[in-house]
């Protein structure tokens, strides 16, 4: 057999004492996310039932046409997906005790979250001023469409805002040197919540904006 060359430039990770272990905080976060997922499931199921009933009577607008296209929401989706990637890179840097890189990627994640919220505010303003949509009224069709849209996307937006505030606190801890030892448990908990927010938005984007 030929000689095997070892690449000395490969990244070496320190011994991970947390790998394969479920901390109380992680268990608590998974329980919270499971129950929170049920809330979103209830909203999406209610949306599906109301839509099916209205469509049977020919009284439900085409979502793409009603919202003036999906370019903006597509950009919002891209932002959240990219922010999930940057969150993974931040946790990875924390594991390697690279505090500067960890803070950089965490800040990128936070900025992505703020941009998403800003675009959502812009989208709401456009729908209210240009399309005649509010929580209780829709000038061009079934009011239930507007109500369910704002209920679902607004509930998700609240989660994004909460997640951004959570990440801002993690950034403060990072600046204070909390993660310099490589203990990434708290950062991973924040990452779990942020990935959940991203996953839910993909479902919302698919069922509310596209279908």
């Amino acid at each position: 057999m030929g000689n095997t060359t070892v690449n000395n430039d490969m990244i070496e990770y320190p011994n991970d004492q947390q790998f394969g272990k479920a901390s109380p905080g992680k268990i608590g976060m998974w329980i919270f996310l499971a129950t929170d997922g049920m809330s979103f499931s209830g909203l999406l199921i209610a949306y599906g039932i109301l839509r099916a009933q209205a469509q049977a009577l020919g009284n439900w607008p085409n979502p793409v046409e009603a919202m003036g296209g999906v370019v903006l929401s597509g950009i919002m989706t891209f932002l959240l997906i990219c922010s999930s990637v940057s969150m993974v890179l931040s946790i990875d840097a924390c594991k390697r005790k690279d505090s500067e890189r960890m803070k950089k990627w965490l800040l990128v994640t936070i900025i992505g979250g703020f941009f998403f919220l800003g675009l959502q505010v812009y989208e709401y303003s456009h729908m209210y001023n240009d399309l005649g949509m509010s929580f209780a009224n829709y000038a061009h069709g079934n009011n239930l469409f507007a109500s369910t849209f704002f209920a679902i996307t607004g509930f998700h937006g609240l989660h994004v805002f909460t997640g951004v505030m959570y990440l801002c606190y993690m950034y403060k801890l990072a600046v204070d040197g909390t993660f310099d030892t490589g203990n990434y448990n708290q950062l991973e908990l924040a990452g779990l919540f942020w990935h959940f927010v991203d996953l839910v938005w993909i479902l919302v984007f698919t069922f509310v904006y596209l279908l």
Side-chain angles (χ1 to χ4, degrees):
M1 295 178 65
N3 294 330
T4 300
T5 302
V6 178
N7 186 358
N8 294 324
D9 295 330
M10 291 179 65
I11 297 174
E12 294 185 2
Y13 289 86
N15 185 30
D16 191 349
Q17 300 296 328
Q18 302 175 62
F19 181 77
K21 296 181 180 179
S23 65
K26 189 178 294 185
I27 294 173
M29 178 60 75
W30 277 114
I31 292 174
F32 167 74
L33 294 181
T35 56
D36 206 24
M38 295 178 188
S39 300
F40 278 104
S41 297
L43 287 172
L44 289 173
I45 290 172
Y47 170 83
I49 293 173
L50 292 173
R51 177 173 176 171
Q53 292 176 340
Q55 282 184 325
L57 301 174
N59 188 26
W60 194 266
N62 182 300
V64 176
E65 296 177 357
M67 291 178 285
V70 293
V71 174
L72 184 62
S73 56
I75 295 173
M76 293 162 66
T77 304
F78 178 74
L79 276 174
L80 275 191
I81 292 174
C82 289
S83 70
S84 271
V85 174
S86 61
M87 190 70 218
V88 170
L89 294 174
S90 179
I91 296 173
D92 180 72
C94 184
K95 292 178 182 179
R96 293 187 279 111
K97 300 182 181 180
D98 189 343
S99 60
E100 292 304 315
R101 189 176 293 273
M102 178 208 51
K103 286 185 286 189
K104 181 189 76 172
W105 287 117
L106 185 58
L107 185 60
V108 169
T109 307
I110 292 170
I111 292 173
F114 273 121
F115 266 107
F116 178 91
L117 290 172
L119 289 176
Q120 189 167 44
V121 170
Y122 173 79
E123 179 185 50
Y124 280 7
S125 175
H126 167 66
M127 289 179 172
Y128 180 79
N129 294 318
D130 301 330
L131 302 179
M133 282 182 65
S134 66
F135 186 80
N137 295 288
Y138 178 42
H140 308 289
N142 195 324
N143 293 345
L144 289 176
F145 169 74
S147 298
T148 51
F149 171 81
F150 283 113
I152 294 172
T153 59
F155 189 51
H156 179 268
L158 178 63
H159 280 71
V160 175
F161 177 77
T162 303
V164 170
M165 294 299 102
Y166 192 179
L167 294 178
C168 285
Y169 177 64
M170 290 297 105
Y171 189 80
K172 177 184 180 303
L173 293 182
V175 171
D176 293 341
T178 302
F179 304 116
D180 290 352
T181 61
N183 187 337
Y184 60 89
N185 183 60
Q186 292 187 72
L187 192 63
E188 188 176 40
L189 295 180
L192 286 174
F193 181 81
W194 193 250
H195 295 320
F196 170 79
V197 168
D198 183 19
L199 175 61
V200 169
W201 176 255
I202 292 175
L203 295 175
V204 171
F205 178 67
T206 301
F207 288 106
V208 176
Y209 286 84
L210 296 180
L211 297 182

